Amino acid sequence: MNRPIPNAVPYLGGNEWQYLKECLDTNWVSSAGPFVNRFEHDVAAYVGAGHGVATVSGTAALHVALLLAGIQPGDEVLVPALTFVATANAVRYCGAVPVFMDSEPQSWAVDPEKVREFLSREGEVRDGRVVNRATGRTLRALLPVHLYGHPADLDPLLEVCRRFPLAVVEDAAEALGARYKGRRVGAHGLVGCLSFNGNKIITAGGGGMILTNDAGLAQRARSLTTQAREAGSEFIHREVGFNYRLSNIQAALGVAQLEQLDRFIEAKRRTAQAYTEALTRLGGVEPLGEAPWAFSTFWMYSGLLDPARYGSAREVIARANEEGVQFRPLWYPLHRQPAFAGCQAYRIEVADRLHARGISLPCSVGITPEERERVIGVLARAQR
Ligand SMILES: Cc1ncc(COP(=O)(O)O)c(C=O)c1O
């Protein structure tokens, strides 16, 4: 029996043990400590952001980032339909409502042209805010997601969000290290968010980070993630905050992982290249490649199956999983989720097509060439 091949698992090959031991030896195990500060500093410096504020999860980072962007109950936020549910959940945590947008076919991320079309047709700028004609609610922000390690086409998105004034909050949870026109993603908008959960390119066991170039916003993020306690010895709280701070133990793991990130990206890109070469020979799979603006980390290696060659993508995924090779479907489009029934969705066609045909292949940092061959073998046998 062959060993199972997981979809994406951590690679703990650096100073993880040593830094964790340091936490235990020094008694710094909780929500303060030198690794938290170091992790924030090192991640922000890596991305090229002025400030980083570490959080317990990427979802918590998104929640606070949206509050920093001024999202209020009853507002609306433009969210891609094709993303993990956390992106839209964070909007709901603010009492706001997601409006779902389509993907563009090259990057699978939110389509700038359709965002522009939606805002031109459905949005009306009144007193400096954008009102959604269909719902009467204020459209406050756009939340582009850099999907599967590939950057969204940011320039046209930023441009349209200047014309129809919307805050841009980047969800870079899946794309630490990816570059848009040479600049790493996460600090192109007002605020950006990262995730360090177990299957991300680096993990802190769990965790996230808020990135911003605005010192005032960073300070407010620091306050909101630590119960919004005023400075001083008394417990004074002028607003309702959250217990969202990352622990020193998690940050220690994160620091050790960050030291290896460039090697991890190289490994992911090597896997992507190997898969793409093999799939070109095999035929019938259209991989998510790299758009002209992109340096992708290939956090997840994904592609579209030709139904004439493979039949149903769901069946291929099920068969692979039966063989112990963990294929995954793409994210289930959010406008079809029961939890978001009734939310507006604008002309979504591409995201549904991608979801029907898309699969993600095993792509852990530590995957071996032999394991990759087994993955390709599963696909070869699935062909008609
Ligand atoms: C696009 C996206 N946004 C947000 C998150 C949330 O991150 P976390 O699991 O750390 O809360 C994830 C990953 O889980 C994600 O893939």
Side-chain angles (χ1 to χ4, degrees):
M1 180 67 184
N2 279 321
R3 270 195 0 185
I5 305 178
N7 186 263
V9 289
Y11 189 88
L12 305 166
N15 289 318
E16 289 85 354
W17 268 117
Q18 185 195 322
Y19 294 167
L20 282 175
K21 187 170 183 310
E22 253 177 78
C23 295
L24 302 185
D25 288 346
T26 57
N27 222 25
W28 287 104
V29 293
S30 193
S31 55
F35 281 115
V36 178
N37 301 339
R38 188 163 146 196
F39 192 42
E40 291 180 336
H41 172 270
D42 292 358
V43 171
Y46 184 87
V47 171
H51 311 270
V53 178
T55 55
V56 285
S57 68
T59 310
L62 280 168
H63 180 192
V64 171
L66 289 170
L67 295 174
L68 298 178
I71 309 302
Q72 292 163 25
D75 284 349
E76 291 181 339
V77 178
L78 299 181
V79 173
L82 192 67
T83 178
F84 182 54
V85 70
T87 317
N89 280 348
V91 174
R92 297 296 297 132
Y93 298 166
C94 300
V97 183
V99 175
F100 295 114
M101 294 285 121
D102 204 6
S103 306
E104 67 84 28
Q106 203 173 14
S107 66
W108 301 5
V110 65
D111 184 340
E113 186 46 39
K114 274 197 175 156
V115 169
R116 193 197 53 72
E117 187 187 279
F118 169 77
L119 289 169
S120 308
R121 285 188 186 171
E122 310 279 334
E124 194 182 314
V125 182
R126 276 190 227 150
D127 305 327
R129 69 192 176 97
V130 190
V131 176
N132 182 342
R133 282 203 190 97
T135 62
R137 291 194 277 251
T138 301
L139 283 155
R140 197 77 70 176
L142 168 73
L143 229 176
V145 179
H146 306 296
L147 208 61
Y148 299 136
H150 189 293
D153 191 4
L154 285 169
D155 279 349
L157 291 171
L158 290 164
E159 210 272 323
V160 77
C161 290
R162 278 191 291 272
R163 239 180 77 208
F164 294 88
L166 294 179
V168 176
V169 176
E170 276 178 277
D171 182 344
E174 301 179 2
L176 173 61
R179 290 186 227 141
Y180 178 74
K181 297 185 179 172
R183 251 184 72 203
R184 292 200 170 102
V185 297
H188 290 255
L190 183 71
V191 198
C193 298
L194 299 171
S195 163
F196 307 109
N197 81 16
N199 78 352
K200 293 296 183 284
I201 196 157
I202 64 167
T203 186
M209 199 169 293
I210 300 162
L211 299 167
T212 181
N213 289 316
D214 182 314
L217 289 183
Q219 199 180 4
R220 184 157 152 69
R222 247 172 247 296
S223 167
L224 282 173
T225 51
T226 52
Q227 306 280 29
R229 183 181 167 189
E230 298 271 296
S233 61
E234 287 291 347
F235 293 92
I236 307 294
H237 306 263
R238 259 170 243 291
E239 62 179 328
V240 175
F242 307 91
N243 180 7
Y244 276 174
R245 192 93 173 122
L246 191 75
S247 77
N248 200 50
I249 285 188
Q250 290 169 304
L253 268 183
V255 169
Q257 288 268 290
L258 185 67
E259 291 170 349
Q260 305 162 79
L261 176 57
D262 285 336
R263 279 195 287 120
F264 289 0
I265 294 172
E266 278 169 31
K268 291 271 192 189
R269 288 178 63 85
R270 261 198 313 280
T271 287
Q273 197 185 342
Y275 276 150
T276 300
E277 283 168 14
L279 293 175
T280 306
R281 286 193 295 275
L282 194 63
V285 185
E286 202 184 307
L288 168 59
E290 266 175 323
W293 61 79
F295 174 89
S296 173
T297 62
F298 291 93
W299 165 66
M300 197 52 65
Y301 186 90
S302 304
L304 304 179
L305 298 185
D306 177 354
R309 300 282 284 277
Y310 288 93
S312 142
R314 298 282 160 306
E315 276 168 31
V316 173
I317 292 167
R319 273 183 52 184
N321 287 345
E322 273 164 28
E323 291 185 38
V325 179
Q326 199 183 2
F327 285 23
R328 287 194 352 177
L330 304 191
W331 301 126
Y332 199 98
L334 297 183
H335 65 300
R336 301 198 175 282
Q337 299 279 8
F340 294 101
C343 293
Q344 192 178 8
Y346 183 72
R347 288 188 57 217
I348 295 180
E349 299 138 353
V350 177
D352 283 328
R353 268 206 313 275
L354 297 174
H355 175 249
R357 292 176 48 202
I359 58 166
S360 299
L361 304 181
C363 57
S364 301
V365 165
I367 194 169
T368 64
E370 295 71 31
E371 287 173 325
R372 287 195 295 251
E373 272 173 34
R374 269 181 61 207
V375 171
I376 297 298
V378 171
L379 277 172
R381 286 194 298 285
Q383 283 204 350
R384 290 176 165 177

